[in-house]
Amino acid sequence: MENIKEILKKYKNIALVGASKDLTKTSSIVMKYLQDYGFKVYPVNPSMKGESILGEKVFGNIKEIDGPIEIVDVFRPSNEAAEIAKDAIKVKAKVLWLQLDIRNEEAKKIVETNDIIYIENKCTKIEYEKYFN
């Protein structure tokens, strides 16, 4: 099992589910931070599909992303995580990462059965800062 430091060092392609054009929202702050540190971030938000957030085209669903996805970073309510987990399998993600205060046992079972690393209740930005800054 890879630890968080190894995950953030190794995987650089992130689908950020729950992206917002409101740059004061946590998802946008995290997205900008990850971009600044060399991550390729694909924003996902069905209501903004085709628009742009922080210079990246917005996708309606992670299955529409046309590049490799290693981490699915979730900024959505816990009850949506199981559906997102099923999509994470379809796109062959390596990690399902649920942000602070997001947990879902069903999502955990879904991804772990498919050899995908499950992380819950942690912020990618805070974890990155802890290990690399």
Side-chain angles (χ1 to χ4, degrees):
M1 170 76 179
E2 293 177 82
N3 66 30
I4 286 175
K5 182 178 181 182
E6 287 169 354
I7 288 166
L8 291 172
K9 197 167 147 185
K10 184 172 171 184
Y11 300 128
K12 296 296 177 189
N13 297 297
I14 299 180
L16 194 142
V17 182
S20 170
K21 64 179 162 215
D22 178 350
L23 299 183
T24 63
K25 284 207 150 178
T26 309
S27 62
S28 303
I29 293 165
V30 170
M31 179 175 170
K32 173 89 176 77
Y33 179 87
L34 293 170
Q35 286 177 319
D36 288 347
Y37 283 93
F39 290 85
K40 170 72 174 167
V41 184
Y42 300 97
V44 179
N45 180 330
S47 67
M48 288 184 62
K49 181 178 172 175
E51 293 179 49
S52 177
I53 297 174
L54 295 169
E56 290 289 342
K57 181 177 129 190
V58 180
F59 294 89
N61 183 293
I62 60 175
K63 292 180 295 193
E64 297 168 5
I65 295 171
D66 46 13
I69 304 164
E70 294 163 319
I71 299 173
V72 176
D73 195 3
V74 181
F75 286 85
R76 298 293 305 148
S78 296
N79 64 353
E80 294 181 24
E83 278 308 307
I84 296 166
K86 290 173 190 165
D87 289 343
I89 294 161
K90 290 178 185 144
V91 300
K92 299 182 171 37
K94 310 285 186 241
V95 182
L96 179 68
W97 189 308
L98 306 184
Q99 284 285 341
L100 291 172
D101 300 324
I102 306 172
R103 296 180 176 85
N104 186 302
E105 275 306 307
E106 187 189 350
K108 180 178 184 182
K109 285 189 192 111
I110 290 167
V111 295
E112 287 183 344
T113 309
N114 288 275
D115 295 322
I116 294 173
I117 299 163
Y118 175 84
I119 297 169
E120 66 179 14
N121 193 31
K122 289 198 183 303
C123 173
T124 37
K125 177 179 181 286
I126 292 169
E127 295 302 315
Y128 192 89
E129 285 172 337
K130 194 189 302 184
Y131 294 113
F132 300 103
N133 287 340

